[in-house]
Amino acid sequence: MTNSNNDLSSKKSDATDISEPWDKDNQAWWDWYVTLAVNKVKDDKIINADPLPDIEIPSDDQVILELNELYNLTEDQINFFQKNGFIKLKKVFSPGAVLKLRTELIDLLRQEFKVDPDKGAHERFLSLEMIWPDNPLLRAYVLSPRLGQISADLLKVPAVRLYHDNVLAKQAGCGRTPWHYDDHHFPLDTNDVVTAWVPAQPTPIEMGPLSFAYPLSVHELVNAVTFEKTGTGYDRGVSEVFSKNNVNVNETAFELGEVSFHHNLNFHTASRNRTNRSRVALANTYYRDGARVINAPTMVSGDWQKFMPNVKPGEIAASPLNPICWPVKNK
Ligand SMILES: O=C(O)CCC(=O)C(=O)O
């Protein structure tokens, strides 16, 4: 597939001109991005999340072995993804592997932001990215043959590369993630792009699980909604069109070990986190080997050069930080 979009900059006014590249870091990008979401007055109380299960945590070696094992998808699951642009798969990771991931992610967030992401209602959307190059444990989760193979099978492509890892922590009380599709964000000239969203705890509805509009083609309904770089107009516009057209939205809890995969044309959102625990997720994006960077990345592409150092617009997207995650090279 060739890329249908990335043309958000075609209609220009002060509020809608996004042609300038993003000149801050990714945390600044998320701080800006969540301001684009409509949020109701926060009159609903923060509730206590259930305690995390008390289970044995595997060793690093056990996790690496687990993540090397493949996950067989059925034809029906691949067809579901191709039609709807997302799929939620149970038991992609063992409960122990997920809780080990959570401990590691919370430690990383604590070091970076000097706050305990699970203490107090900081109401911020914290993010970290490109952790895997310097962290062998995270590398096992991010470059995992299991996630790579599922991604390649869902996209029906022979090989996938990593675009980036993204640690996302929606703290207690933090509001909605605005409606969007990732084609706006990834400056790639292909639609063979998928994000594995790995929640690092059981994620009930009250915590704001990632939610998906379907089928995939509903993105066409909102082509005419113009992106605005301030205010909540775009989020509101998409929401109104979806309501008017009775678009289906899958907003369901994630059990421990369940992972969702969404296509870059799938519209998704997430509700406010109404629990006292940070909703931590690891979101890894994979794309078809051979894809190029588009000619004109925009501010919505964020700090993309960090993910593909020395790759210029128009060039093949294959820096050393974009390894092939599937198929696995024989050593
Ligand atoms: O975690 C969220 O709320 C948003 C994540 C997202 O949009 C993505 O991973 O594509």
Side-chain angles (χ1 to χ4, degrees):
M1 282 194 262
T2 52
N3 193 303
S4 64
N5 209 316
N6 286 305
D7 60 355
L8 286 172
S9 54
S10 55
K11 299 176 191 125
K12 292 199 181 83
S13 74
D14 275 359
T16 59
D17 181 4
I18 52 164
S19 54
E20 286 298 306
W22 186 254
D23 60 1
K24 304 186 188 80
D25 65 14
N26 271 293
Q27 182 55 45
W29 190 93
W30 276 104
D31 285 338
W32 160 68
Y33 199 60
V34 290
T35 67
L36 307 183
V38 175
N39 278 291
K40 288 199 294 252
V41 182
K42 295 173 193 161
D43 47 8
D44 42 358
K45 279 222 223 58
I46 298 288
I47 57 171
N48 288 339
D50 289 341
L52 292 171
D54 184 12
I55 49 178
E56 204 180 316
I57 301 300
S59 66
D60 289 14
D61 286 348
Q62 284 169 324
V63 166
I64 290 168
L65 279 178
E66 175 181 325
L67 302 187
N68 278 343
E69 277 170 29
L70 303 187
Y71 186 101
N72 288 326
L73 291 171
T74 64
E75 223 23 59
D76 281 353
Q77 287 171 320
I78 296 172
N79 291 341
F80 180 94
F81 175 83
Q82 293 266 328
K83 178 167 174 229
N84 294 308
F86 82 99
I87 191 163
K88 292 178 70 168
L89 299 174
K90 293 187 196 292
K91 296 190 170 40
V92 175
F93 295 139
S94 66
V98 178
L99 293 186
K100 187 176 178 83
L101 174 66
R102 191 171 211 280
T103 304
E104 184 71 12
L105 298 183
I106 291 284
D107 274 356
L108 291 163
L109 289 159
R110 202 182 278 132
Q111 280 163 32
E112 178 67 22
F113 294 100
K114 316 282 181 253
V115 293
D116 183 334
D118 277 335
K119 290 253 162 63
H122 302 286
E123 301 193 5
R124 202 168 169 208
F125 196 114
L126 305 177
S127 90
L128 296 171
E129 69 294 307
M130 301 311 283
I131 301 300
W132 69 269
D134 300 318
N135 181 314
L137 180 62
L138 254 285
R139 188 173 313 149
Y141 288 88
V142 175
L143 306 188
S144 134
R146 179 176 298 195
L147 293 180
Q149 172 242 334
I150 296 174
S151 299
D153 287 356
L154 291 173
L155 292 173
K156 296 192 179 178
V157 298
V160 291
R161 288 185 181 271
L162 176 74
Y163 178 59
H164 67 25
D165 57 4
N166 214 184
V167 179
L168 304 170
K170 199 180 251 201
Q171 291 183 287
C174 178
R176 289 184 50 250
T177 306
W179 276 112
H180 66 281
Y181 66 0
D182 298 339
D183 190 35
H184 286 179
H185 306 296
F186 305 142
L188 296 166
D189 76 343
T190 177
N191 282 326
D192 290 326
V193 185
V194 63
T195 297
W197 193 81
V198 184
Q201 65 287 303
T203 306
I205 295 287
E206 303 77 37
M207 210 178 258
L210 204 60
S211 307
F212 311 92
Y214 63 99
L216 179 64
S217 57
V218 297
H219 71 88
E220 290 163 13
L221 296 172
V222 289
N223 276 348
V225 182
T226 306
F227 185 81
E228 293 170 25
K229 63 186 178 194
T230 55
T232 55
Y234 184 72
D235 184 44
R236 191 184 310 275
V238 170
S239 193
E240 282 170 7
V241 173
F242 283 174
S243 301
K244 214 163 81 200
N245 289 277
N246 295 318
V247 167
N248 295 310
V249 177
N250 175 300
E251 183 178 25
T252 50
F254 283 69
E255 63 184 47
L256 207 54
E258 188 168 3
V259 175
S260 64
F261 292 80
H262 61 268
H263 187 271
N264 72 326
L265 293 177
N266 172 272
F267 262 82
H268 48 282
T269 180
S271 298
R272 177 169 180 246
N273 179 4
R274 293 195 292 113
T275 74
N276 63 343
R277 174 171 301 134
S278 263
R279 191 220 58 182
V280 181
L282 173 66
N284 303 327
T285 297
Y286 308 95
Y287 61 93
R288 176 179 57 75
D289 179 34
R292 288 176 184 272
V293 174
I294 57 170
N295 290 328
T298 69
M299 67 181 285
V300 189
S301 311
D303 197 7
W304 66 274
Q305 273 148 320
K306 183 171 178 185
F307 315 137
M308 304 187 163
N310 302 319
V311 178
K312 306 217 167 31
E315 288 183 356
I316 300 258
S319 82
L321 294 186
N322 312 113
I324 293 191
C325 298
W326 184 261
V328 177
K329 266 203 229 127
N330 289 328
K331 294 193 185 127

